Amino acid sequence: MALKLIAGSSHPVLAKKISKFLKTPLTPVIIKKFADGEIYLRVSEKVRGDDVYVIQSLTSPANENIMELLILVDALRRASVGRINLLIPYLAYSRQDRKAQSRESISAKLLADIITASGADRVITVDLHANQLQGFYNIPFDHFVGYPMFAEYLKEKNIKNMVIVAPDMGATKRADKMADLLDVPLAIMHKVRYAHNMADVTHMIGDVKNKTAVIIDDMIDTGGSIVAATSALENAGAKKIIVCATHALLSGNAIERLEKANISQVLLLDTVPITDSLKSKKFKVISLAPLFAKIIKRIHRNKSLGELFTWENKATKL
Ligand code: R5P
């Protein structure tokens, strides 16, 4: 099976970078809109029998990008491709993975069912809101994590007296692993939500006084959680605050809020397109393109992906 890369329209910059690392051109796709907003899509070259990797981040506008992905998978299936692998750097609806109140939908599961039914053979993604979401899919699901990339960057900066902070209970496992990797202590916050995208920190376990506090979260959406965590850290006497977040959704005035907050640096990954407004030195974006290229190469050659998780072996870490 020949390796083919196809980009949806949501994250062309990342797709081009991956294509460069793999020295494999992107197979052209025509994507247009009908007058009523419906999507027209056609893969322009032969893909029969090929091992196709579709790169589509389900970032805003999420519903449009999801529909485009499904239509692309359908087109590929009907073109008799050998295997359809979906590289979805940001998987939308992941936060809706349970019923928090009665009569709600579990849209993360609904999306999993739709993607599976579309005919995809595999999903590759990074930093799901909750790891167990993998089980919603009945097809191979390769889930990668971003914290080792942040840890590597911080290690290089040789930051002294660091503490890793989980901004809520859900982030504890990720923060604990990062603290373990860097051999530094952990602090945990209790966050309450009083409305969608509105948060407050009520309690904190751990000592952050006079330390460089590194908050690690899966995403920054409106920035509400990070701003609340930052104030709590300031009140508890942290000397310096660094934020690490995988998915830079940065909705509404998030950038402005982060600029104003007492944060020295915001480290992000490029799972969603990075807006031009992130010009200030406060923001540093680390690209996942080299890792994605390695993942694709290994899957294509049926090689183990476990070997990429070297950070899991403390003896060889960083
Ligand atoms: C929530 O539990 C997530 O891990 C993020 O902390 C949250 O979704 C970020 O959203 P916002 O930036 O709007 O607070």
Side-chain angles (χ1 to χ4, degrees), residues 95 129 167-168 191 193 197 199 217-226:
R95 283 175 285 182
H129 182 58
D168 56 36
K191 179 175 85 179
R193 281 209 178 277
N197 293 116
D217 210 350
D218 57 337
M219 67 182 81
I220 304 179
D221 189 356
T222 61
S225 302
I226 292 299

PDB file of all heavy atoms in Angstrom, residues 95 129 167-168 191 193 197 199 217-226, ligand 1:
ATOM      1  N   ARG A  95     -14.952  17.269  25.725  1.00  0.00           N
ATOM      2  CA  ARG A  95     -15.345  17.647  27.089  1.00  0.00           C
ATOM      3  C   ARG A  95     -16.734  17.124  27.438  1.00  0.00           C
ATOM      4  O   ARG A  95     -17.093  17.057  28.595  1.00  0.00           O
ATOM      5  CB  ARG A  95     -15.297  19.181  27.239  1.00  0.00           C
ATOM      6  CG  ARG A  95     -13.873  19.698  27.386  1.00  0.00           C
ATOM      7  CD  ARG A  95     -13.814  21.204  27.410  1.00  0.00           C
ATOM      8  NE  ARG A  95     -14.005  21.787  26.086  1.00  0.00           N
ATOM      9  CZ  ARG A  95     -13.956  23.095  25.833  1.00  0.00           C
ATOM     10  NH1 ARG A  95     -13.728  23.937  26.800  1.00  0.00           N
ATOM     11  NH2 ARG A  95     -14.114  23.543  24.600  1.00  0.00           N
ATOM     12  N   HIS A 129      -9.451  15.096  26.399  1.00  0.00           N
ATOM     13  CA  HIS A 129      -9.820  15.702  27.678  1.00  0.00           C
ATOM     14  C   HIS A 129      -9.746  14.650  28.794  1.00  0.00           C
ATOM     15  O   HIS A 129      -9.303  14.942  29.902  1.00  0.00           O
ATOM     16  CB  HIS A 129     -11.215  16.308  27.558  1.00  0.00           C
ATOM     17  CG  HIS A 129     -11.642  16.989  28.795  1.00  0.00           C
ATOM     18  ND1 HIS A 129     -10.922  18.021  29.345  1.00  0.00           N
ATOM     19  CD2 HIS A 129     -12.697  16.775  29.617  1.00  0.00           C
ATOM     20  CE1 HIS A 129     -11.536  18.419  30.450  1.00  0.00           C
ATOM     21  NE2 HIS A 129     -12.601  17.681  30.622  1.00  0.00           N
ATOM     22  N   PRO A 167      -4.646  22.431  37.238  1.00  0.00           N
ATOM     23  CA  PRO A 167      -5.636  23.484  37.491  1.00  0.00           C
ATOM     24  C   PRO A 167      -7.018  22.971  37.909  1.00  0.00           C
ATOM     25  O   PRO A 167      -7.875  23.755  38.303  1.00  0.00           O
ATOM     26  CB  PRO A 167      -5.722  24.220  36.151  1.00  0.00           C
ATOM     27  CG  PRO A 167      -5.286  23.214  35.143  1.00  0.00           C
ATOM     28  CD  PRO A 167      -4.312  22.303  35.821  1.00  0.00           C
ATOM     29  N   ASP A 168      -7.223  21.653  37.790  1.00  0.00           N
ATOM     30  CA  ASP A 168      -8.463  21.046  38.310  1.00  0.00           C
ATOM     31  C   ASP A 168      -8.208  19.561  38.522  1.00  0.00           C
ATOM     32  O   ASP A 168      -7.146  19.044  38.159  1.00  0.00           O
ATOM     33  CB  ASP A 168      -9.657  21.295  37.370  1.00  0.00           C
ATOM     34  CG  ASP A 168      -9.417  20.814  35.952  1.00  0.00           C
ATOM     35  OD1 ASP A 168      -8.761  19.778  35.780  1.00  0.00           O
ATOM     36  OD2 ASP A 168      -9.880  21.481  35.004  1.00  0.00           O
ATOM     37  N   LYS A 191     -11.296  23.207  41.092  1.00  0.00           N
ATOM     38  CA  LYS A 191     -11.945  24.259  40.298  1.00  0.00           C
ATOM     39  C   LYS A 191     -13.449  24.029  40.307  1.00  0.00           C
ATOM     40  O   LYS A 191     -13.903  22.896  40.161  1.00  0.00           O
ATOM     41  CB  LYS A 191     -11.414  24.190  38.854  1.00  0.00           C
ATOM     42  CG  LYS A 191     -12.010  25.193  37.913  1.00  0.00           C
ATOM     43  CD  LYS A 191     -11.324  25.133  36.546  1.00  0.00           C
ATOM     44  CE  LYS A 191     -11.924  24.074  35.643  1.00  0.00           C
ATOM     45  NZ  LYS A 191     -11.285  24.014  34.328  1.00  0.00           N
ATOM     46  N   ARG A 193     -17.110  25.235  38.416  1.00  0.00           N
ATOM     47  CA  ARG A 193     -17.671  25.957  37.274  1.00  0.00           C
ATOM     48  C   ARG A 193     -19.036  26.455  37.663  1.00  0.00           C
ATOM     49  O   ARG A 193     -19.882  25.658  38.063  1.00  0.00           O
ATOM     50  CB  ARG A 193     -17.812  25.016  36.078  1.00  0.00           C
ATOM     51  CG  ARG A 193     -16.529  24.776  35.355  1.00  0.00           C
ATOM     52  CD  ARG A 193     -16.791  24.479  33.882  1.00  0.00           C
ATOM     53  NE  ARG A 193     -15.523  24.297  33.179  1.00  0.00           N
ATOM     54  CZ  ARG A 193     -14.793  25.311  32.729  1.00  0.00           C
ATOM     55  NH1 ARG A 193     -15.190  26.558  32.901  1.00  0.00           N
ATOM     56  NH2 ARG A 193     -13.663  25.079  32.104  1.00  0.00           N
ATOM     57  N   ASN A 197     -17.791  27.802  30.655  1.00  0.00           N
ATOM     58  CA  ASN A 197     -16.641  28.676  30.442  1.00  0.00           C
ATOM     59  C   ASN A 197     -16.389  29.693  31.567  1.00  0.00           C
ATOM     60  O   ASN A 197     -15.688  30.685  31.368  1.00  0.00           O
ATOM     61  CB  ASN A 197     -16.729  29.426  29.094  1.00  0.00           C
ATOM     62  CG  ASN A 197     -16.621  28.477  27.906  1.00  0.00           C
ATOM     63  OD1 ASN A 197     -17.552  28.338  27.143  1.00  0.00           O
ATOM     64  ND2 ASN A 197     -15.490  27.807  27.765  1.00  0.00           N
ATOM     65  N   ALA A 199     -15.074  29.886  35.560  1.00  0.00           N
ATOM     66  CA  ALA A 199     -14.476  29.013  36.570  1.00  0.00           C
ATOM     67  C   ALA A 199     -13.908  29.800  37.739  1.00  0.00           C
ATOM     68  O   ALA A 199     -13.596  30.977  37.615  1.00  0.00           O
ATOM     69  CB  ALA A 199     -13.376  28.193  35.915  1.00  0.00           C
ATOM     70  N   ASP A 217      -2.531  22.157  31.309  1.00  0.00           N
ATOM     71  CA  ASP A 217      -3.939  21.860  31.014  1.00  0.00           C
ATOM     72  C   ASP A 217      -4.043  21.313  29.591  1.00  0.00           C
ATOM     73  O   ASP A 217      -3.130  21.490  28.785  1.00  0.00           O
ATOM     74  CB  ASP A 217      -4.782  23.134  31.163  1.00  0.00           C
ATOM     75  CG  ASP A 217      -6.219  22.814  31.596  1.00  0.00           C
ATOM     76  OD1 ASP A 217      -6.591  21.636  31.585  1.00  0.00           O
ATOM     77  OD2 ASP A 217      -6.956  23.753  31.927  1.00  0.00           O
ATOM     78  N   ASP A 218      -5.171  20.668  29.284  1.00  0.00           N
ATOM     79  CA  ASP A 218      -5.307  20.122  27.924  1.00  0.00           C
ATOM     80  C   ASP A 218      -5.632  21.215  26.920  1.00  0.00           C
ATOM     81  O   ASP A 218      -5.257  21.120  25.756  1.00  0.00           O
ATOM     82  CB  ASP A 218      -6.367  19.002  27.872  1.00  0.00           C
ATOM     83  CG  ASP A 218      -7.742  19.439  28.358  1.00  0.00           C
ATOM     84  OD1 ASP A 218      -7.815  20.423  29.118  1.00  0.00           O
ATOM     85  OD2 ASP A 218      -8.734  18.804  27.983  1.00  0.00           O
ATOM     86  N   MET A 219      -6.328  22.259  27.360  1.00  0.00           N
ATOM     87  CA  MET A 219      -6.707  23.295  26.390  1.00  0.00           C
ATOM     88  C   MET A 219      -6.922  24.636  27.071  1.00  0.00           C
ATOM     89  O   MET A 219      -7.186  24.703  28.276  1.00  0.00           O
ATOM     90  CB  MET A 219      -7.983  22.900  25.653  1.00  0.00           C
ATOM     91  CG  MET A 219      -9.202  22.874  26.524  1.00  0.00           C
ATOM     92  SD  MET A 219     -10.662  22.346  25.627  1.00  0.00           S
ATOM     93  CE  MET A 219     -10.471  20.569  25.623  1.00  0.00           C
ATOM     94  N   ILE A 220      -6.772  25.689  26.275  1.00  0.00           N
ATOM     95  CA  ILE A 220      -7.227  27.004  26.736  1.00  0.00           C
ATOM     96  C   ILE A 220      -8.321  27.388  25.760  1.00  0.00           C
ATOM     97  O   ILE A 220      -8.092  27.512  24.558  1.00  0.00           O
ATOM     98  CB  ILE A 220      -6.107  28.063  26.703  1.00  0.00           C
ATOM     99  CG1 ILE A 220      -4.894  27.595  27.525  1.00  0.00           C
ATOM    100  CG2 ILE A 220      -6.643  29.394  27.238  1.00  0.00           C
ATOM    101  CD1 ILE A 220      -3.725  28.576  27.516  1.00  0.00           C
ATOM    102  N   ASP A 221      -9.518  27.535  26.284  1.00  0.00           N
ATOM    103  CA  ASP A 221     -10.642  27.918  25.430  1.00  0.00           C
ATOM    104  C   ASP A 221     -10.855  29.427  25.614  1.00  0.00           C
ATOM    105  O   ASP A 221     -10.244  30.237  24.924  1.00  0.00           O
ATOM    106  CB  ASP A 221     -11.865  27.071  25.828  1.00  0.00           C
ATOM    107  CG  ASP A 221     -13.024  27.228  24.868  1.00  0.00           C
ATOM    108  OD1 ASP A 221     -12.913  28.035  23.939  1.00  0.00           O
ATOM    109  OD2 ASP A 221     -14.062  26.552  25.038  1.00  0.00           O
ATOM    110  N   THR A 222     -11.644  29.819  26.594  1.00  0.00           N
ATOM    111  CA  THR A 222     -11.830  31.266  26.823  1.00  0.00           C
ATOM    112  C   THR A 222     -10.731  31.841  27.712  1.00  0.00           C
ATOM    113  O   THR A 222     -10.634  33.051  27.883  1.00  0.00           O
ATOM    114  CB  THR A 222     -13.163  31.516  27.548  1.00  0.00           C
ATOM    115  OG1 THR A 222     -13.108  30.851  28.815  1.00  0.00           O
ATOM    116  CG2 THR A 222     -14.330  30.986  26.754  1.00  0.00           C
ATOM    117  N   GLY A 223      -9.945  30.973  28.335  1.00  0.00           N
ATOM    118  CA  GLY A 223      -8.891  31.433  29.241  1.00  0.00           C
ATOM    119  C   GLY A 223      -9.379  31.576  30.674  1.00  0.00           C
ATOM    120  O   GLY A 223      -8.584  31.861  31.572  1.00  0.00           O
ATOM    121  N   GLY A 224     -10.677  31.348  30.919  1.00  0.00           N
ATOM    122  CA  GLY A 224     -11.247  31.513  32.262  1.00  0.00           C
ATOM    123  C   GLY A 224     -10.552  30.639  33.303  1.00  0.00           C
ATOM    124  O   GLY A 224     -10.205  31.119  34.392  1.00  0.00           O
ATOM    125  N   SER A 225     -10.314  29.371  32.965  1.00  0.00           N
ATOM    126  CA  SER A 225      -9.690  28.449  33.929  1.00  0.00           C
ATOM    127  C   SER A 225      -8.284  28.909  34.263  1.00  0.00           C
ATOM    128  O   SER A 225      -7.864  28.880  35.422  1.00  0.00           O
ATOM    129  CB  SER A 225      -9.621  27.033  33.346  1.00  0.00           C
ATOM    130  OG  SER A 225     -10.894  26.591  33.012  1.00  0.00           O
ATOM    131  N   ILE A 226      -7.548  29.315  33.237  1.00  0.00           N
ATOM    132  CA  ILE A 226      -6.146  29.711  33.458  1.00  0.00           C
ATOM    133  C   ILE A 226      -6.065  30.999  34.280  1.00  0.00           C
ATOM    134  O   ILE A 226      -5.242  31.108  35.190  1.00  0.00           O
ATOM    135  CB  ILE A 226      -5.408  29.870  32.094  1.00  0.00           C
ATOM    136  CG1 ILE A 226      -5.268  28.498  31.423  1.00  0.00           C
ATOM    137  CG2 ILE A 226      -4.049  30.548  32.267  1.00  0.00           C
ATOM    138  CD1 ILE A 226      -4.476  27.455  32.182  1.00  0.00           C
TER     139      ILE A 226
HETATM  140  C1  R5P B   1     -11.723  21.749  31.525  1.00  0.00           C
HETATM  141  O1  R5P B   1     -11.873  20.959  32.401  1.00  0.00           O
HETATM  142  C2  R5P B   1     -10.557  21.777  30.578  1.00  0.00           C
HETATM  143  O2  R5P B   1      -9.521  20.945  30.962  1.00  0.00           O
HETATM  144  C3  R5P B   1     -10.037  23.194  30.399  1.00  0.00           C
HETATM  145  O3  R5P B   1      -9.494  23.634  31.632  1.00  0.00           O
HETATM  146  C4  R5P B   1     -11.142  24.134  30.022  1.00  0.00           C
HETATM  147  O4  R5P B   1     -11.990  23.556  29.071  1.00  0.00           O
HETATM  148  C5  R5P B   1     -10.581  25.411  29.476  1.00  0.00           C
HETATM  149  O5  R5P B   1     -11.659  26.256  29.158  1.00  0.00           O
HETATM  150  P1  R5P B   1     -11.612  27.802  29.488  1.00  0.00           P
HETATM  151  O6  R5P B   1     -10.299  28.303  28.923  1.00  0.00           O
HETATM  152  O7  R5P B   1     -12.804  28.358  28.780  1.00  0.00           O
HETATM  153  O8  R5P B   1     -11.692  27.955  30.963  1.00  0.00           O
END
